[in-house]
Amino acid sequence: MRGRPTIYEDSNIIKKAQEVFWQKGYSATSLSDLQKATGAGAGSFYNTFKGGKKEVFKKAIEERRLAFDAFKNELAKSDSPLELIKDFFRSIAEADTNEHLKGCIIANTVVEMTYIDEDLEANAVQILKEVEQMFTATIKTEQTKGNIQSKTSPEILGKYLITFWCGINTLRRMYPDKKILKDQIEMQLAVIS
Amino acid sequence: MRGRPTIYEDSNIIKKAQEVFWQKGYSATSLSDLQKATGAGAGSFYNTFKGGKKEVFKKAIEERRLAFDAFKNELAKSDSPLELIKDFFRSIAEADTNEHLKGCIIANTVVEMTYIDEDLEANAVQILKEVEQMFTATIKTEQTKGNIQSKTSPEILGKYLITFWCGINTLRRMYPDKKILKDQIEMQLAVIS
DNA sequence: CTATTTATGTATCAATCATTACAAAAATAA
DNA sequence: TTATTTTTGTAATGATTGATACATAAATAG
């Protein structure tokens, strides 16, 4: 292959940019912020990502979708998928303060991008719906197996969990406190049993 | 009183500005947006609000706190305060699409302003905590009166309601749909009974 | 009337915004 | 070697940002 060698790998730029977007959101993150965080100058940046800021944001979001897909694969292999989901919620309490304050980049994006960017908004909403769908499907199966006593429909319980996910996205900023969050999570998970 | 008469009333500027902030958030709202929405030019704007954009945003938030205080007064006078709170949640489902997409300006601010403006962030968090406290106090009283069967502590149930409030702030953007939201709200309120 | 006061509208400010232009650097192919 | 290709760093772009300067308008006080 010809040409000057790349020193700023695409995946690395996205990773570094993701952290900034995650903390500051889309609008408040400037190109200057991204250049500082990634080390790449405007030349490299726009040479790599013709779509500029928005393309990098999309890729950062896409990276999160992959993490979700990985979890969904774990879930498919698991013989106690409900416990896996519950442990996923329980693990929130164990996060450090920065993670609490950052919250979920997808849920943040839904809140931020309404009336700002229809495209980014719809994409984030879609991802949350897929997570919800994963919850719903798991609950449906477990109900059939008799592993859940609740007679509430899996659709409503699935929405209950995604609502909880979005709710705790704010609660953990109000109380970035392990003990408080732990108790709260256990109480809410008890509804699915 | 001497001087040219005011044609852009403070309260009216704040009201118009609030709608823009509510839809677009703080960062994405420009002075140009505010001038278009309020009709006031830069002269009037900065003559009235020396603190500029941030001062107007603070006042817009403060206006919401007053709305909350009014509700709290209603609650104090009510002889079925728990029903009043539940009806408040139920009324969310009746809102129009624009209201769904706007969500709660306080919850939105908590999500947006983390790592952006410590001052605005802390202020919004404080308001949510006051709402939570109102939930908690009401639940405590109603539990003592025997109007709530649940033995879960009022602190946890109060946090459950504020978490629900923040969660539905996102859910209503995913599903700005009366029927879906209504079912979801009823299911979640059933926990407090 | 004149002086004073306050609000308004417009022009302008420096700073920052996202993006582009372009020459130099650094590799490979021939 | 030389030509070609790609990345990089820097300078510059025009647009927009939040905010200020200032002359004028429009009222009241004396």
Side-chain angles (χ1 to χ4, degrees), chain A residues 56-136:
Chain A
V56 179
F57 186 80
K58 275 186 167 180
K59 297 235 160 96
I61 294 290
E62 208 48 41
E63 195 272 346
R64 282 279 80 195
R65 191 202 288 271
L66 293 181
F68 160 63
D69 286 344
F71 180 83
K72 211 160 63 171
N73 279 339
E74 284 299 307
L75 205 65
K77 286 186 291 185
S78 171
D79 42 35
S80 53
L82 188 62
E83 273 310 301
L84 204 57
I85 288 176
K86 288 188 172 184
D87 283 343
F88 163 69
F89 277 102
R90 290 181 182 117
S91 72
I92 296 170
E94 309 298 325
D96 62 29
T97 305
N98 181 46
E99 281 185 85
H100 288 318
L101 298 184
K102 280 163 65 182
C104 164
I105 193 174
I106 311 297
N108 295 350
T109 300
V110 172
V111 172
E112 186 191 352
M113 299 316 278
T114 322
Y115 289 116
I116 303 292
D117 189 303
E118 216 175 327
D119 181 28
L120 297 177
E121 164 79 6
N123 189 241
V125 164
Q126 179 56 29
I127 294 174
L128 287 187
K129 285 185 175 176
E130 285 169 21
V131 176
E132 175 203 335
Q133 171 53 31
M134 176 189 74
F135 291 151
T136 303

Side-chain angles (χ1 to χ4, degrees), chain B residues 59-142:
Chain B
K59 297 235 160 94
I61 293 290
E62 209 49 40
E63 196 273 346
R64 281 279 82 196
R65 190 203 288 270
L66 293 181
F68 160 63
D69 286 344
F71 181 82
K72 211 160 64 171
N73 279 338
E74 284 299 307
L75 205 65
K77 286 187 291 187
S78 171
D79 41 35
S80 53
L82 188 63
E83 273 310 302
L84 203 59
I85 288 176
K86 287 189 173 183
D87 283 343
F88 163 70
F89 277 102
R90 290 180 182 116
S91 72
I92 295 171
E94 308 298 326
D96 62 29
T97 304
N98 181 46
E99 283 185 85
H100 288 319
L101 298 184
K102 279 163 65 183
C104 164
I105 193 174
I106 311 297
N108 296 349
T109 301
V110 171
V111 172
E112 186 192 352
M113 299 317 278
T114 322
Y115 289 117
I116 304 293
D117 189 305
E118 214 176 328
D119 181 29
L120 296 177
E121 164 80 5
N123 189 240
V125 164
Q126 179 57 29
I127 294 175
L128 288 187
K129 285 186 175 176
E130 285 169 21
V131 176
E132 175 204 334
Q133 171 53 31
M134 177 189 73
F135 291 150
T136 304
T138 304
I139 290 167
K140 191 169 191 172
T141 307
E142 295 299 294

Side-chain angles (χ1 to χ4, degrees), chain A residues 147-164:
Chain A
N147 294 334
I148 297 176
Q149 311 309 315
S150 169
K151 293 284 181 289
T152 307
S153 80
E155 286 75 21
I156 293 217
L157 290 179
K159 284 190 175 63
Y160 166 78
L161 282 184
I162 198 69
T163 302
F164 179 41

